[in-house]
Amino acid sequence: LKRTPLRAWGLLHALAAPGQARLSIAGRLISGADSGGYGLLCRFTDADHYYFFLVNGQGHFLIGKQKDGISTGLSAATFQPSEAILPGNVPNLLTAQCVGNRLTLSVNGAPIAEVQDEAYAEGQDGVLAAAVEGEEMEARFDDFAIYAP
């Protein structure tokens, strides 16, 4: 991402948009600022309405939602540290669950956050990269999978 702040995503284009899913991805920062986030999204209906699960190269995470074009942290107001996240350009295995009103994030097999929110009940699932204003970043994703919870 070279123009910031900017978010880019890829979605699974399925015939039906699942409302409940367990998602996993191996992601890593390739280049740019360690503060840029990468991860998963669920219940995406448009660019202004979805849940996100992000980690960054500093070993921090955030579960949040995009509503009417405004990002809000649900697990905390800002990114929080976790020893489960490998910092820098090292791959991290992210697993997110969107089940009912419960949103959970595990990194490298360790549960790190769970929140509850009822704003969105269904939508598409995918991957997300988010650059911080004034900084560039590149992330790479492998082995994206969606499972029934």
Side-chain angles (χ1 to χ4, degrees):
L1 303 174
K2 296 192 183 265
R3 190 172 50 107
T4 57
L6 181 65
R7 291 184 178 206
W9 55 83
L11 300 173
L12 173 69
H13 293 285
L15 295 176
Q20 301 194 79
R22 181 171 57 95
L23 317 168
S24 70
I25 192 90
R28 69 183 177 116
L29 184 65
I30 297 297
S31 65
D34 282 346
S35 56
Y38 61 91
L40 295 158
L41 56 83
C42 73
R43 300 181 182 167
F44 180 99
T45 56
D46 60 43
D48 292 328
H49 301 93
Y50 57 90
Y51 292 115
F52 58 85
F53 305 81
L54 293 172
V55 300
N56 66 24
Q58 297 171 336
H60 294 78
F61 74 94
L62 183 66
I63 297 176
K65 71 179 170 184
Q66 185 82 356
K67 184 174 182 182
D68 298 328
I70 298 170
S71 295
T72 303
L74 297 174
S75 57
T78 60
F79 278 81
Q80 297 297 305
S82 172
E83 292 184 8
I85 301 167
L86 302 173
N89 298 38
V90 179
N92 284 287
L93 177 62
L94 282 65
T95 303
Q97 291 194 68
C98 300
V99 180
N101 68 350
R102 193 171 50 101
L103 309 169
T104 61
L105 176 62
S106 297
V107 178
N108 300 317
I112 60 172
E114 179 177 322
V115 300
Q116 293 186 359
D117 192 81
E118 296 181 358
Y120 311 126
E122 59 184 33
Q124 293 182 297
D125 304 311
V127 298
L128 175 69
V132 174
E133 186 169 359
E135 299 179 355
E136 296 179 4
M137 56 112 27
E138 179 182 352
R140 183 162 297 151
F141 303 99
D142 292 307
D143 304 322
F144 178 57
I146 300 176
Y147 305 96

